[in-house]
């Protein structure tokens, strides 16, 4: 593999139901930042789907200099084989140095398949990406040397107890799937245009081809906690499903949304889609209330980027107070209703 042939930062632009997924716009923001530190500054979005050509301008507004479009009936609904074939073929033809994919259900299926086909490595579920030097300490005779301009991919490891930084120095592209909600979207530039390249990888049905007979969508009643500006999050300390109503009252008073820790999900009190943390969602609200939540590293990983963190806990030594901007030591059953009453009175 001649690594010097591989240039530019690419992202996979995920389209679902005629819309670009928010994670793809987040990836464009990060890709722009990474490309600024490389020789080839162009950012390319790879858009796969059917009747998707109308989405290229949105990708341009969020930072794509070029969009490679594969528009084909074979890509109408996501299935592994045609999507993996299309993306692997784009890589073989356009040779990106870096390829970023959202760690969505689709991205987690697509990324590893594609990396295996093009024979490179992939770091899954990254929470940090930067261009830097990779030390060759393990290579005999080169212990003091470094490879420059490598993609350093950071992700939690060993159940979130440590953070690993991984590089892929000998193969290209350097591939990563990235957790939704972690990277920031760039400010959109209305009216920006990208170079659009239509690409046809040629589709041939093989024995891995799956036919979709029917798509049944889950109808969710819960608000998306990743969109909320104010989150009122509860943990095991809330004590029961019913008692989450006091958090709901506080959320209602602030026009906020209720979220929770994994302990509350495991206890069957709250649905998984409201879980914040390493195996839940990464959130960045303006205000995050952590109520009856101890502050385990796996929870904090999903909320530490919040604008203002307010913790309520009856244990003055709870680790959550190390992350919080404001802490209230007390019984949540007393503190939360009192807070709600005061806020309602102040806003009345
Ligand atoms: P606890 O740790 O039991 O804390 C309850 C807190 O409530 C305590 O601090 C206590 O002092 C306080 N409290 C009790 N009663 C009251 C009261 N009346 N008033 C005020 N305070 C009170 N966790 C997540 O949240 N999200 C994840 O995505 C996640 N992913 C994980 C992934 C892995 C691989 C692993 C191993 C773990 C993961 N966890 C995750 C679990 C995590 O390690 C913790 O177990 C979990 O966050 C604890 O939830 P908690 O803070 O609600 O409960």
């Amino acid at each position: 593999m001649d690594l010097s042939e591989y240039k530019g930062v690419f992202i996979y632009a995920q389209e679902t139901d005629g819309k670009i997924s928010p994670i793809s716009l987040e990836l464009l923001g990060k890709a722009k930042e990474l490309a600024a530190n490389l020789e080839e500054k162009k950012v390319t979005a790879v858009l796969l789907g059917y009747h998707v050509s109308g989405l290229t301008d949105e990708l341009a507004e969020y930072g794509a200099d070029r969009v490679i479009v594969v528009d084909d009936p074979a890509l109408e609904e996501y299935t592994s084989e045609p999507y993996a074939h299309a993306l692997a073929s784009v890589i073989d033809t356009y040779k990106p140095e870096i390829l970023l994919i959202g760690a969505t259900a689709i991205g987690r299926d697509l990324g590893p398949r594609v990396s295996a086909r093009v024979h490179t490595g992939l770091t899954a579920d990254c929470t940090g990406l930067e261009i830097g030097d990779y030390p060759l300490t393990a290579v005999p005779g080169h212990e003091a040397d470094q490879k420059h301009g490598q993609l350093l991919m950071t992700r939690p490891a060993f159940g979130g107890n440590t953070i690993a930084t991984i590089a892929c120095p000998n193969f290209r592209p350097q591939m990563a799937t990235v957790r939704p909600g972690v990277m920031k979207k760039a400010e959109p530039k209305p009216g920006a245009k990208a170079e659009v390249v239509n690409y046809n990888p040629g589709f041939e049905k093989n024995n891995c081809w799956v036919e979709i007979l029917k798509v049944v969508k889950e109808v969710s009643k819960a608000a998306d906690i990743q969109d909320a500006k104010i989150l009122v999050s509860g943990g095991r300390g809330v004590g029961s499903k019913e008692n989450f109503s006091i958090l709901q009252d506080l959320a209602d008073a602030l026009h906020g949304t209720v979220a929770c820790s994994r302990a509350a999900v495991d206890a069957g009190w709250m649905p998984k889609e409201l879980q914040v943390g390493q195996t839940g969602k990464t959130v960045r609200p303006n205000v995050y209330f952590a109520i009856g939540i101890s502050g385990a590293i796996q929870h904090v990983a999903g909320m530490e980027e919040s604008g203002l963190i307010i913790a309520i806990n009856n244990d003055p030594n709870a680790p959550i107070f190390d992350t919080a901007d404001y802490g209230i030591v007390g019984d949540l059953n007393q503190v939360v209703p009192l807070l709600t009453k005061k806020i309602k009175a102040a806003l009345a």
Side-chain angles (χ1 to χ4, degrees):
M1 182 178 269
D2 179 1
L3 303 195
S4 66
E5 287 182 356
Y6 289 76
K7 302 252 182 260
V9 183
F10 283 40
I11 67 119
Y12 163 59
Q14 186 181 322
E15 173 269 341
T16 322
D17 294 335
K19 291 197 186 102
I20 299 291
S21 301
I23 174 66
S24 308
L25 306 179
E26 293 164 19
L27 293 181
L28 279 172
K30 190 63 191 183
K32 269 260 165 285
E33 212 183 291
L34 296 174
N37 294 316
L38 293 168
E39 195 187 311
E40 169 60 64
K41 312 256 177 257
K42 234 189 216 173
V43 169
T44 301
V46 183
L47 178 60
L48 312 179
Y50 187 42
H51 294 318
V52 289
S53 317
L55 300 172
T56 54
D57 284 352
E58 187 182 356
L59 293 168
E61 288 180 359
Y62 279 90
D65 301 296
R66 174 172 68 166
V67 184
I68 297 173
V69 184
V70 183
D71 199 308
D72 194 283
L75 303 175
E76 186 166 8
E77 297 287 352
Y78 178 80
T79 54
S80 310
E81 180 56 31
Y83 270 76
H85 167 67
L87 191 53
S89 176
V90 168
I91 293 173
D92 286 339
T93 307
Y94 293 94
K95 301 200 180 325
E97 186 172 6
I98 291 172
L99 172 63
L100 308 180
I101 298 176
T104 58
I106 285 178
R108 286 168 202 251
D109 180 72
L110 181 64
R113 286 172 198 277
V114 170
S115 71
R117 282 180 200 211
V118 300
H119 198 260
T120 188
L122 176 137
T123 305
D125 222 14
C126 293
T127 52
L129 297 170
E130 61 176 351
I131 302 296
D133 296 334
Y134 175 75
L136 298 178
T137 36
V139 183
H142 292 272
E143 289 84 355
D145 293 344
Q146 298 195 323
K147 274 201 167 193
H148 303 295
Q150 303 297 303
L151 180 67
L152 304 181
M153 300 169 270
T154 302
R155 55 153 297 155
F158 298 110
N161 290 317
T162 185
I163 298 288
T165 297
I166 297 164
C168 176
N170 299 328
F171 294 94
R172 291 292 182 266
Q174 300 160 94
M175 285 182 66
T177 58
V178 178
R179 288 192 64 133
V182 178
M183 309 294 171
K184 278 194 181 144
K185 289 178 197 166
E187 272 305 306
K189 292 198 180 120
K193 295 281 172 209
E195 175 197 351
V196 177
V197 180
N198 288 301
Y199 177 73
N200 180 1
F203 290 96
E204 226 171 80
K205 286 195 177 178
N206 58 21
N207 60 3
C208 297
W209 208 272
V210 173
E211 200 183 333
I212 303 246
L213 299 181
K214 195 173 168 194
V215 176
V216 181
K217 298 220 156 102
E218 189 184 10
V219 184
S220 169
K221 285 189 252 108
D224 189 344
I225 58 172
Q226 284 180 311
D227 295 336
K229 299 273 175 269
I230 298 181
L231 278 179
V232 178
S233 196
R236 201 192 316 267
V238 176
S240 69
K241 184 178 179 166
E242 293 68 34
N243 211 29
F244 261 88
S245 65
I246 62 170
L247 273 66
Q248 187 64 56
D249 290 344
L250 176 59
D252 290 346
L254 291 164
H255 303 291
T257 304
V258 169
C260 65
S261 71
R262 178 158 148 182
V265 175
D266 289 348
W269 302 339
M270 298 299 277
K272 167 88 181 153
E273 67 212 270
L274 300 185
Q275 182 188 318
V276 172
Q278 190 190 318
T279 44
K281 290 181 178 168
T282 303
V283 296
R284 235 184 238 279
N286 296 340
V287 184
Y288 188 89
F289 286 88
I291 304 176
I293 292 177
S294 59
I297 184 170
Q298 297 89 354
H299 185 82
V300 170
M303 46 64 84
E304 63 194 336
E305 295 293 326
S306 303
L308 184 78
I309 299 171
I310 302 168
I312 303 172
N313 200 302
N314 62 3
D315 174 4
N317 298 316
I320 191 68
F321 290 127
D322 298 337
T323 310
D325 298 290
Y326 293 102
I328 302 173
V329 179
D331 181 352
L332 64 90
N333 296 296
Q334 288 164 6
V335 175
V336 177
L338 202 60
L339 199 58
T340 307
K341 198 169 149 202
K342 291 274 181 201
I343 288 168
K344 277 188 182 162
L347 298 178

